[in-house]
Amino acid sequence: MKAFLLITISYVVQCWWDVGHMMTAQIAKNYLKDNRPDVLAWADSLVQDLNPLTDGKSNTFAEAAVWMDDIKETGTSFMNDWHYTDRPINPDGLLIKLEDQNRNINSIYAINQAVSVLTNTKTAKNRHTMFKAQMLRVLLHVIGDLHQPLHDTTFWNSSYPNGDQGGNFMKVQLENGTLVNLHSFWDAGAFAFSPNNSFLVRPLSQNDLEYLNNWSLDVINKYQFTKYNNMDMTNPTVWTYVGYRQAVQFVYPMIAQSNSYNKDYVQQAQQFCEENLAIGGYRLAQKLIDIFDQILLNEARLKLED
């Protein structure tokens, strides 16, 4: 596999960690608004709890989905491995070694830890703690990450004997000559998420909030929840396997040894990303519903004990 290829796109845009993450959260928000407003009220209140300690760029439900990327810029690194689960694609059968850290501390771990904190029976008397507020933001972000396939795998071959770090070491050349890595190409929704560098920049203006909301409603209408009734909506381990399969079947084939790709690949990738945003939003909403229902059950048990 060669190190880079040409893709006929002429602009570089904001990545999944801003627009994509906000869209995933906004889709979840609108789904909850229509189906479980009590869950939305609880989750939104936890978002607000952390606002006094942020830089003002993550104060709304949608913007809070970017918080985990924001804190990396402050030197907060202990959650860096929570953004991905790197299952290896190893077509050449190379002898590879995965560090125990990468095997056990990953996006699946992050989601399970967040659920554990938010539903802990020992803290059931207190819905609002700073730790719970942080873990709610972890869920908003990491569930979005899992629906970008290159957060679910790393490619290994003779060109990348130590792995390509989810496409971060693999370069793609844009039409204007700019080199970006494959991961960024997918983070940016195949460069569909933004027409210019001022698009949905946080903190969002009122117009931007309305735009994001309308856009999410369009996606919900296009990819309705009922379409995914047969998909797993609760198990993050399954989600990462689905993302891994998507990477194997679609993301990487365009850069096989011939370095060729289908001329419609970019358009297909954009549609692919848009649908993944919808699925990610629905899964986030369902995870929040499951957590809140468990919180209600824990609180009911406490009342019985009292």
Side-chain angles (χ1 to χ4, degrees):
M1 182 179 292
K2 297 180 182 178
F4 62 87
L5 69 158
L6 178 66
I7 290 181
T8 55
I9 306 174
S10 59
Y11 50 85
V12 178
V13 296
Q14 290 190 353
C15 296
W16 195 281
W17 54 80
D18 273 21
V19 178
H21 280 296
M22 289 190 293
M23 269 293 287
T24 299
Q26 188 66 38
I27 289 167
K29 178 179 180 178
N30 280 326
Y31 179 84
L32 292 173
K33 181 180 178 181
D34 291 339
N35 295 277
R36 287 294 301 271
D38 57 332
V39 177
L40 177 59
W42 157 74
D44 198 35
S45 67
L46 271 181
V47 166
Q48 305 303 317
D49 287 348
L50 204 62
N51 284 352
L53 301 179
T54 71
D55 60 3
K57 294 182 179 180
S58 61
N59 287 0
T60 66
F61 187 88
E63 291 169 300
V66 194
W67 175 78
M68 273 189 72
D69 282 336
D70 291 341
I71 62 174
K72 288 191 293 187
E73 299 177 3
T74 68
T76 305
S77 60
F78 73 95
M79 289 189 286
N80 283 358
D81 293 332
W82 293 17
H83 295 258
Y84 53 84
T85 295
D86 277 348
R87 287 192 174 85
I89 298 175
N90 185 16
D92 297 337
L94 301 181
L95 181 62
I96 62 177
K97 180 180 179 181
L98 298 180
E99 299 294 334
D100 289 341
Q101 174 85 352
N102 292 336
R103 292 181 180 181
N104 301 318
I105 309 299
N106 51 35
S107 55
I108 300 169
Y109 169 87
I111 293 172
N112 290 338
Q113 284 295 107
V115 172
S116 178
V117 168
L118 290 164
T119 61
N120 193 324
T121 56
K122 295 180 180 179
T123 60
K125 291 184 178 180
N126 301 302
R127 284 191 187 182
H128 294 266
T129 69
M130 196 57 62
F131 199 24
K132 289 181 179 181
Q134 293 173 349
M135 290 299 103
L136 189 282
R137 289 175 181 240
V138 167
L139 284 178
L140 294 182
H141 184 89
V142 176
I143 291 178
D145 272 339
L146 293 193
H147 292 82
Q148 201 275 61
L150 292 177
H151 278 262
D152 299 316
T153 189
T154 285
F155 188 92
W156 302 68
N157 69 0
S158 57
S159 297
Y160 304 99
N162 297 312
D164 74 343
Q165 297 294 306
N168 275 299
F169 294 158
M170 194 174 294
K171 298 297 183 182
V172 294
Q173 183 175 325
L174 306 185
E175 189 178 38
N176 63 4
T178 301
L179 288 177
V180 298
N181 64 58
L182 182 66
H183 190 102
S184 294
F185 172 79
W186 278 89
D187 263 348
F191 296 95
F193 287 163
S194 154
N196 59 64
N197 290 331
S198 63
F199 181 67
L200 297 180
V201 173
R202 296 177 297 129
L204 298 182
S205 67
Q206 186 59 41
N207 286 340
D208 283 341
L209 289 168
E210 292 175 2
Y211 181 93
L212 186 71
N213 181 61
N214 291 334
W215 184 13
S216 72
L217 292 174
D218 288 341
V219 172
I220 288 172
N221 185 59
K222 185 176 180 180
Y223 304 100
Q224 296 187 17
F225 181 81
T226 53
K227 179 180 178 181
Y228 309 103
N229 284 339
N230 294 326
M231 294 186 69
D232 188 293
M233 287 290 164
T234 60
N235 189 339
T237 300
V238 173
W239 305 345
T240 62
Y241 274 115
V242 172
Y244 171 84
R245 188 174 68 237
Q246 290 171 340
V248 171
Q249 295 177 347
F250 184 74
V251 176
Y252 280 109
M254 74 156 181
I255 41 176
Q257 292 182 354
S258 65
N259 228 21
S260 63
Y261 62 96
N262 188 293
K263 65 179 181 180
D264 297 324
Y265 177 82
V266 174
Q267 181 179 357
Q268 293 172 18
Q270 291 173 351
Q271 294 172 350
F272 185 103
C273 290
E274 187 179 51
E275 184 169 18
N276 269 19
L277 289 179
I279 296 170
Y282 294 143
R283 283 174 168 161
L284 171 58
Q286 188 58 56
K287 181 61 70 175
L288 294 176
I289 290 170
D290 292 346
I291 291 170
F292 188 67
D293 286 346
Q294 185 61 51
I295 290 172
L296 294 179
L297 181 59
N298 292 343
E299 292 173 348
R301 288 172 176 166
L302 277 179
K303 290 181 180 180
L304 290 175
E305 292 173 1
D306 292 340

